[in-house]
Amino acid sequence: MGSTIETPRPFGTVPTSATLRPTPLLVRFDESALDELNTLLKYSRIAPETYENRQSDGRYGVTREWVLRMKQRWEGGFDWRDTEKRINDVPNYKVPITARSGHVLDIHFAALLSENPTAIPIILLHGWPGSFLEFLPMLNLLTTRYTPSTLPYHFIVPSHPGYGLSGPPPLDGDFNLEDMAYIHDALMRGLGFEGGYVVQGGDIGSHVSRPLLANHASCKAGLLNFIHMPEPTSVPRSALTQKENENADRANEWFATASGYALEQATRPSTIGFALSASPIALLAWIGEKFIDWTDDTPSDDTILEHVSLYWLTNTIATTVYPYRHTPKDSPGVQNNPAWFIRKPFGFVSFPKELSVTPKAWADTTGDIVFFREHDKGGHFAALEQPEVLLKDIEDFVAQVWDRT
Amino acid sequence: MRIDVPDEAIAELRTLLKASRVAPLTYENSREDRKYGIAHKWILDAKEHWETSFDWKKHEAQLNQFPQFKVPITSDAGDVYDIHFTGLFSQNQKAIPLIFVHGWPGSFIEFIAILKLLSTRYTPATLPYHVVVPSLPGYGFSSPPPLDRDFKLEEVAKMKSRPVHLNFFNLPKPRHVGATPITDLEKVGRDRADEFHTTGQGYSTEHGTRPSTLGFVLHSSPLALLAWVGEKFLEWSDVDLSIDDILVDRYVTLSLRFEEPAPTLKQLYVEKPYGYSYFPYEITPIPKAWAEVAGNLVFWRTHTAGGHFAAMEVPEVLLQDVEEFVTQVW
């Protein structure tokens, strides 16, 4: 699928203190993979018109009009090779990492590595149905603002085990959030960052951030843009502003009306894995819905297609749903797990079109927040939708907390 | 009418099925207990069988052994539906009309075994019943619900207005249960129901909230449909149904959404005389003590085998219950 390159490239110099030897990777899928995609697009069936799929507000899911339009664009117009070019504009690597269980997993990451010995290492964790692709605009911004010697940070953007360009979790044992955290910590320490690094996480990435911060000494601070949680019993509604009360109601409503995908993924990951692997149209509907529902301004058709294409071409959807059975709504879930209460420097940035906007008083029950921002634009895919804003949040957070660690 | 699926449609299905991609082996799908859904081995076997040895035309011929009809029915709202049904008409003037109503992911095909039993036991002159087995609107060969408005279960239920026999009743626990002691079998049944309520409703939640998205997923490839629906035929039955039976019965559309929010006991209360047959592998078997307070319970049978697809799994048993019920209440 890829090929290796010998000479280090700008932002591609692995620290000499690294114990891992990541292999540089150029992403290029075989033409046969693209042919298979096109064949299935051609033959796959589109559901007939129904009352539900005619609703242009999308209340029952993606509309037929949207599916037809996206299918047509995917078949002609959208160019995956463009996406590959943008991926390969930054350094990408593969490296074997030993999991907690002893299995060796193949981990992919994109990176901007600084030549500055005081650069602050930052790991950025995507979620579902996201990927490392979400962070490409931010990495691009950084390469225009800094050179390898002036870049004040190392930005490490892995694919979680089972996602994107990483290999799958083990076949013979369950793999949970702590296992994911263990891998990411091993990656960062192995790259030479044992002295300390910061984590930024959204969606599943924010869940993984909690055991990462709780269990791994090298992870010094965390900035989350996602603290989606059931209403804590310890916070009375009288403590919230009117706007926060409305957000609280919407947060509860989300669990009641918009979490079908999460329940299916948590309870029948095998079945949904087969259903979504069968045809790119299946994947387009299931994943595409989230890029529409969970964003402020809907990303362009091509942006959505490249994210769905990554899931399709890597044939990974079946191995991306395992975190859902490890993030139950009920106690001890994730945010209300006392073992994972964040005691290290903790930042929370809130975007208005997140799938539910968590009142700060709720977020406060999950850790000691020392950095809090509310934005007026952007949604769930913050890195994709508002790369400059989130980058500024990261830079300001790190500037505030790093000296203290 | 005769059921006559065009050869091109069958060829198209085969082509798409062959091209469709099977997910790789994973921790979840390699489990033999099927805790997380369809097993990898099962779907590979089913796909191969469907592509190579499954013969739809053979099964179609069996279906056409029974009369198939389409009839326009006008609803209270004024819409006209083209309703498909199969069944058996008696020549006996005193024959009792019976309607058998399937569910999801079932179809009229579930009742073919019962029709076979009746047609071997009786002649048109001696058949004591008129048996009608419709396809619900949006299912099988019936026309779909309207495009321009929501369509609810009550509209479908206008057909049912007489004594009713149930083999499925998803009743929440009544505040005051009846006096009949709960048996050990019923206790196991409640464990099963609890399991269904906590881990078995992902499908229905998605159906109820994102039917449009799910519709595109399941229409895209027969393999997607096979996984989603096949899982239910395996999980909800006592003994695993054969792959052939599952493949025949996969006509389904998703135009029927589930009601939200869940109905109250008052709304579920069955005024007319009703009977219930207890099958232990039903997804939500209810104890007699609950059924007693949920309506005018006049008939009860307990079985030790059989599950959700009772008509397919244990047709003689279900038929006997129905005949005894009818004899009692008519």
Side-chain angles (χ1 to χ4, degrees), chain A residues 24 54 64 124 193 220 238 280 360 376 394 397 399:
Chain A
R54 290 176 86 188
R64 189 166 196 267
L124 300 107
F193 307 139
K220 301 296 190 188
S238 51
K360 175 139 182 312
D376 58 14
I394 293 169
F397 174 70

Side-chain angles (χ1 to χ4, degrees), chain A residues 278-353:
Chain A
S279 160
I281 295 292
L283 197 58
L284 172 68
W286 193 262
I287 288 182
E289 184 207 284
K290 304 314 180 194
F291 282 92
I292 298 170
D293 279 0
W294 296 352
T295 50
D296 191 344
D297 294 330
T298 306
S300 71
D301 289 353
D302 278 8
T303 299
I304 297 177
L305 286 174
E306 79 179 7
H307 285 262
V308 182
S309 294
L310 180 71
Y311 273 78
W312 177 263
L313 292 169
T314 54
N315 198 13
T316 47
I317 186 69
T319 53
T320 62
V321 292
Y322 65 90
Y324 282 81
R325 61 180 176 274
H326 301 299
T327 57
K329 187 161 83 77
D330 307 318
S331 182
V334 179
Q335 293 83 0
N336 50 3
N337 186 339
W340 294 348
F341 186 90
I342 299 177
R343 301 182 195 286
K344 295 174 181 171
F346 172 23
F348 172 40
V349 292
S350 177
F351 290 87
K353 297 295 184 190

Side-chain angles (χ1 to χ4, degrees), chain B residues 101-104 136-137 139 145 149-160 168 255-261 263 268:
Chain B
V101 186
H102 69 85
W104 185 94
L136 292 171
Y139 285 73
R149 61 179 183 80
D150 203 359
F151 186 74
K152 299 204 191 290
L153 283 174
E154 297 95 75
E155 296 194 53
V156 178
K158 294 286 192 247
M159 300 189 275
K160 299 188 291 200
F168 176 73
S255 47
L256 201 67
R257 280 186 299 120
F258 286 52
E259 286 291 315
E260 295 286 350
L268 285 172

Side-chain angles (χ1 to χ4, degrees), chain B residues 46-63:
Chain B
K47 178 180 191 280
E48 214 238 311
H49 181 76
W50 204 355
E51 279 171 21
T52 55
S53 23
F54 178 75
D55 182 358
W56 168 257
K57 283 297 175 187
K58 184 181 93 185
H59 293 280
E60 190 182 80
Q62 296 212 359
L63 297 177

